Structures are given as structure tokens and as C-alpha cells.
Amino acid sequence: MRVMAQVAMVMNLDKCIGCHTCSVTCKQAWTNRTGTEYVWFNNVETRPGQGYPRRYEDQEKWQGGWVRTASGGIKLRSGGRLKKLLTIFASPVQPEMDDYYEPWTYDYETLTNAPLGDDFPVARPKSLITGRTMAIEQSANWDDSLGGGPGWEERDPIVEKLHAESQERIRFEYEKSFMFFLPRICEHCLNPSCMAACPSGAIYKREEDGIVLVDQDACRGWRQCITGCPYKKIYYNHRSGKAEKCHFCYPRIEAGIPTVCSETCVGRLRHIGIILYDADRVTKAAATKDPKDLYAAQLEVMLDPNDPEVLRAARAQGIAEDWLDAARRSPVYALIKHYRVALPLHPEYRTMPMVWYIPPLSPVVDLLREQGHDAEAAGNLFGAIDALRIPVDYLAELFTAGDPAPVIDVLQKLAAMRSYMREVTLRGKGDPTIAEAVGMTPQAMEQLYRLVAIARYNERYVIPKAHYEMAHNLEEMGCSVDFDGSVTDDGPFGSGSGAPVPVAIETFASMQARRAAAEADQAPPPLPPAGDEVPGVR
């Protein structure tokens, strides 16, 4: 057993309102410079919808992720070393400008310098590629809040797949029943296909925290990583000729501060913590024969931080005590494996993603309320979850490779939590039979509610500080976020941004001081027993 630590994130989709604050703050912090105009390390997609870039989930076209071989191993869908060597100078399979969008700015000079006249001056959009006036046709959020509408849902690859199985019935139900938002960042996978696809070895996974980064000095711009990533979360900077991606705000993580997208999230839907996993079992788990078993296989790779044997092995691997303590208090471990209410995004890609999601329960509640039922009653909620098969099928295609059973289990737990806490609010005491119906104890139900609904700052973010012996030059910003002496000679706010170092960029020392000031006096309470294992998961 080779124990390693991984920084992971869980997002509660039931709390996302689609405000895109996370996208804007990430953009302002990391990709507001020449060459990255179209780059969104964090974007919020409307579901059903095409995603960004358009239809990135169509792996038959984009050739991302891994596939299982006849011998029981795995290989890149885009081809092995020989194929890459033979085609290394050919254009890789990657999205084009039409799959992203043509970035633009506005002719603001016309507004300020237009002569006096009867007509109001107009700041026309101008392409940042050609400099010419253009018509805006799409962007990263072009179909925002239009999911499920006529003419939009059919472009979603998942809806397209379900259409082939159930024809028109699915489309009509989708239009009536739901729409939700899906924030996406790099998955920082345990088995990253982008890293395996890189011919120059520029992409690496940090040993101390599992964050996947791009070495800008080693990157040669082959762009094979863009093909290899099934989530299409690696971008090509046409100015620098390098690949760039979400780096999980590692300068902040090293100081114990959450990512920009997490800290600015209006809905407080993101949790960050440490997961301990067995690195020796990752490849075997990724090669699981049935894609529907990949979710359970990844759970088995994650180790119990309270297990004495795991702790001994972790200490032997040099994992510090404060990191082990953080793993024991980790909110992501609690949501992913203890309560089992968080699910991975497209486990069938076999990359072992480490950004997980709590699926939305809102479609069920909204439909019951519209029909005149008590939307929070346990019996009504459980019956509705079982009856609304179509949204569950859609969620299953997103999170469990098409297996609806784990999704139903999660939705039933969330429904039970709502009903149980309603009893607590109205009558001062919860009904224990509601918790028992989903294999949980009343104590565990209340603790789950606290974690997903009203968790404090230090409960949502349990991030241990980096050790100087594990990471060097912590005060320097490297990777794709370097602006001082970078190949583009740009400032952090883009070309000609003015001030050499903005005050918004904190040094490592100041972030340490801020983290220390924000720490609470007491640690979060330990996790209570969740009860029986989730049905269908072994």
C-alpha cells in the first residue's frame, strides 16, 4: 500500500444559482492576459446543454480519456506511443475556434472620441484575433439558463444518447422537469490522461498534494494534452505557444487558503479537503471492466484516515501529522465516502477525477410543489425520486456511467435530510425513522445537514499548509500563472496593464497570516457513524 495525499473538491449542485462569480474571479486572477482571452479555467454550464467547449463529452469525436484493452489494461483513446510518434507533427484532434468562441473586445475609443452629433455612438465588438468588427455568435455562457428549451437540449451529447433509447418522451419530460448549473474546473485526476498524452513530459502530478500542473519550460506546444483530456480543461495559449490549465490555485492552497472560485462562491457550495488514497491501486481501479463499477472502484482506492494501518503506511511515506489530521477532518472525504452523497463527473473516462458533485434534488421538489403536494414530506419525496426516472437517467449519465442506483441512493439521502430537518424545525425533534429509511442515524443526518447546508468556513475548507521541505519557492508564482519575466512579457492584468505587481496578489507570508487569523478556536466535530453502507455499492 502506497499512501498518497490528494487535494479534492466537492460541489453541491443544489446550491448553485448560476451567477458565474466563480468564473469571473478565476478569469480575473489567472487568465486575464494576452493569449488567454478564450480560456476559462472555471466555467459554469447549463444542463441540459452543450458545455464548453461545445459538445466536449463526445469522445468519439474528441478521443479523450482512457479505454479498456482486451487484455484488461487501459490505453489512451487517442492512441499509444507509436501512433503519437507517427503523428507528432500532425494537428492533434482538438476543438477549434468555432467550438470555443472568437474572443472580442469593444471599440470603446469610439464612445470617448466620437464628434458631437445627433446619433449616439456605438462601441462595436471587435475580434481580438483579427482586430476587425465582428458579429458575436457565441461565448462560454452563450446558452446560459436555456437548458431544456427547444433547439438547445438536442445538442447535449447526453440527451442525444438518451434520445436514441427513449425517443420523444425524453425531450418532452426534460422541457417540463428541470434545468441546473454545473460548475467545472480541471479534475486533477488520479489517473490523468493529459499527462500520459504529453510527448514532452511537461504535465506532472505533484507528489505532495496531487495537483496536476504544466511545466511551462518543458512544454513544447504539441497540444496532445488537449486531445487526451476528456473534460477539455487544457487550453493552448496562442501567444506563448504553451498549454495552460487550472492549477487549483496552488499558491493559495500551499498557504492553507481555498481556491479563488471557492472563496468567492456566492452559494458556498464548494468544499475542499484532503483525501488519502492507495496509489498502487489506481491503475487497477481505472481498468475495471464494467464502466458502471468505476464509481465503486474509485471509492475503494480512497483510504480511511482513521484506520491505524493506513496511518502507519502514511507516516512511512513521509506524510506529515498535520496533513493526516486534515484528512481525518476532511469535508470531501465525509461527503464522498463516509456519507456517500457526492459523485464523480464521467467516471467512464477512467481518469479517476477528484472534483466530485452532490447531484441536485431541486427538480423533484419543484415538480411536487407545482402539483400541490407537500414537497418536503419524506413519503412524497421518496416516491417522486423513484417515479422521475428521466432526470435520474440524465444524472446517471453524468456521474455514474449510466447506473441510476447510486444516484437514487444519493437523492433519497438528500430528501431524507430535508424531511428530517423539517421535523426538527417544526417540532423540535426529528423522526428517526426517516434517517433509518436511508441507512443513517439521526446524529449522522444532522451532521450531514450541517456540512452541506450551514457549514462554517473552517468546516468547508480543511486545507493543511505546505511544508518547506515539500515545496520550494513558495513565494514565487510559477507554472502558467507567471507574469514576471514570462514569455509574453505581459502584466498580470494583460498587455500594458500598468502596475508591475497588483495588490490583489498576496505573498505566501501574507496568506499564511491571513489563514492563521481565520482559523477557528475549535476543530469541527468528528463524523458520526453514517449507518449501513449505501445499497448497490460494495
Side-chain angles (χ1 to χ4, degrees):
M1 179 169 57
R2 184 160 59 99
V3 181
M4 299 189 73
Q6 170 77 43
V7 177
M9 181 183 291
V10 170
M11 303 190 205
N12 186 355
L13 299 184
D14 224 11
K15 299 172 72 175
C16 183
I17 61 174
C19 66
H20 303 281
T21 303
C22 53
S23 300
V24 173
T25 52
C26 175
K27 183 73 173 175
Q28 184 68 20
W30 302 118
T31 62
N32 191 5
R33 51 200 162 79
T34 303
T36 62
E37 293 87 354
Y38 78 104
V39 174
W40 295 86
F41 288 167
N42 183 111
N43 69 289
V44 181
E45 300 170 356
T46 300
R47 288 302 180 134
Q50 301 178 77
Y52 184 75
R54 296 292 184 266
R55 295 176 58 84
Y56 73 91
E57 293 161 306
D58 184 1
Q59 302 309 328
E60 295 299 321
K61 177 179 181 180
W62 302 121
Q63 299 294 301
W66 304 87
V67 292
R68 193 173 187 271
T69 63
S71 60
I74 56 174
K75 68 175 183 179
L76 290 172
R77 187 186 294 269
S78 58
R81 295 181 180 179
L82 179 59
K83 181 179 179 181
K84 291 190 177 301
L85 180 63
L86 295 175
T87 60
I88 193 170
F89 294 106
S91 178
V93 179
Q94 62 177 342
E96 300 177 357
M97 184 179 295
D98 290 341
D99 299 303
Y100 295 107
Y101 66 95
E102 185 173 358
W104 72 87
T105 185
Y106 293 94
D107 185 11
Y108 296 109
E109 188 176 353
T110 300
L111 296 180
T112 58
N113 297 335
L116 183 64
D118 295 332
D119 299 325
F120 286 101
V122 177
R124 298 185 181 277
K126 289 198 171 185
S127 171
L128 287 172
I129 304 298
T130 64
R132 300 174 181 174
T133 301
M134 59 173 286
I136 301 174
E137 297 180 352
Q138 64 184 44
S139 73
N141 298 323
W142 198 246
D143 51 356
D144 183 28
S145 301
L146 294 176
W152 291 93
E153 81 287 352
E154 293 179 352
R155 305 177 191 179
D156 185 332
I158 296 178
V159 176
E160 187 177 80
K161 179 179 179 181
L162 295 176
H163 271 183
E165 299 173 0
S166 300
Q167 299 303 321
E168 289 301 310
R169 178 178 63 87
I170 287 179
R171 182 172 68 87
F172 294 141
E173 290 297 326
Y174 275 144
E175 290 180 359
K176 295 176 184 178
S177 62
F178 82 106
M179 178 199 75
F180 65 95
F181 298 104
L182 180 71
R184 287 204 307 122
I185 64 173
C186 170
E187 297 288 330
H188 295 276
C189 308
L190 299 182
N191 185 38
S193 54
C194 60
M195 185 173 70
C198 178
S200 56
I203 301 180
Y204 64 100
K205 189 172 179 65
R206 298 211 308 187
E207 183 177 357
E208 60 267 32
D209 54 19
I211 295 176
V212 179
L213 299 176
V214 180
D215 183 343
Q216 294 291 282
D217 292 331
C219 179
R220 296 294 177 265
W222 296 114
R223 290 169 286 173
Q224 297 289 347
C225 56
I226 299 176
T227 303
C229 175
Y231 304 98
K232 293 297 173 279
K233 274 300 175 181
I234 298 187
Y235 302 88
Y236 180 70
N237 186 322
H238 59 85
R239 175 76 178 272
S240 66
K242 309 286 186 178
E244 300 190 14
K245 63 179 292 297
C246 160
H247 42 69
F248 215 89
C249 292
Y250 73 88
R252 298 170 61 92
I253 294 296
E254 288 168 351
I257 303 291
T259 61
V260 171
C261 60
S262 298
E263 193 156 37
T264 59
C265 176
V266 173
R268 299 181 179 180
L269 59 94
R270 304 188 188 218
H271 300 73
I272 299 177
I274 300 297
I275 292 286
L276 299 180
Y277 69 98
D278 186 356
D280 290 335
R281 298 165 61 182
V282 170
T283 302
K284 181 179 179 182
T288 300
K289 184 176 182 180
D290 189 347
K292 294 182 179 180
D293 294 332
L294 286 166
Y295 163 59
Q298 187 167 354
L299 285 179
E300 292 301 316
V301 172
M302 301 178 186
L303 302 174
D304 183 357
N306 296 300
D307 187 337
E309 183 179 349
V310 172
L311 294 177
R312 282 194 297 269
R315 294 185 181 106
Q317 295 293 326
I319 299 179
E321 285 297 328
D322 58 336
W323 280 62
L324 297 179
D325 177 65
R328 287 189 289 268
R329 297 184 292 114
S330 173
V332 295
Y333 177 83
L335 295 170
I336 291 174
K337 192 165 183 181
H338 187 75
Y339 297 118
R340 300 194 180 185
V341 294
L343 301 170
L345 180 65
H346 289 299
E348 69 272 17
Y349 297 160
R350 302 179 184 271
T351 60
M352 302 281 118
M354 289 309 296
V355 176
W356 290 45
Y357 297 87
I358 300 175
L361 186 60
S362 298
V364 180
V365 175
D366 292 343
L367 182 62
L368 284 170
R369 187 177 292 112
E370 290 173 3
Q371 293 175 349
H373 297 292
D374 185 348
E376 304 292 342
N380 290 341
L381 278 175
F382 289 161
I385 290 171
D386 186 62
L388 288 177
R389 303 295 297 174
I390 299 171
V392 169
D393 288 344
Y394 186 91
L395 294 173
E397 290 292 339
L398 270 178
F399 302 123
T400 53
D403 184 7
V407 177
I408 293 174
D409 292 333
V410 171
L411 295 179
Q412 286 180 341
K413 283 193 173 188
L414 298 177
M417 180 188 71
R418 290 191 180 191
S419 297
Y420 180 88
M421 294 310 300
R422 184 197 189 203
E423 295 290 318
V424 172
T425 302
L426 296 179
R427 298 177 176 83
K429 183 178 180 181
D431 184 356
T433 61
I434 297 177
E436 294 168 1
V438 291
M440 297 180 68
T441 64
Q443 182 188 8
M445 190 67 70
E446 294 186 18
Q447 184 65 18
L448 176 61
Y449 167 76
R450 178 178 182 85
L451 188 57
V452 301
I454 58 173
R456 297 175 297 178
Y457 185 93
N458 68 317
E459 293 173 323
R460 287 185 287 125
Y461 310 127
V462 181
I463 308 169
K465 301 173 185 177
H467 286 248
Y468 282 100
E469 67 272 16
M470 297 173 64
H472 59 84
N473 297 328
L474 295 180
E475 293 187 3
E476 297 181 4
M477 299 179 69
C479 190
S480 60
V481 302
D482 187 16
F483 60 84
D484 187 10
S486 66
V487 293
T488 61
D489 293 325
D490 287 340
F493 290 150
S495 299
S497 56
V501 180
V503 294
I505 296 182
E506 300 173 277
T507 65
F508 178 73
S510 64
M511 283 194 291
Q512 272 193 320
R514 179 181 165 203
R515 176 70 171 88
E519 287 179 343
D521 295 333
Q522 296 181 352
L527 295 175
D532 297 335
E533 294 293 322
V534 180
V537 178
R538 296 181 176 84

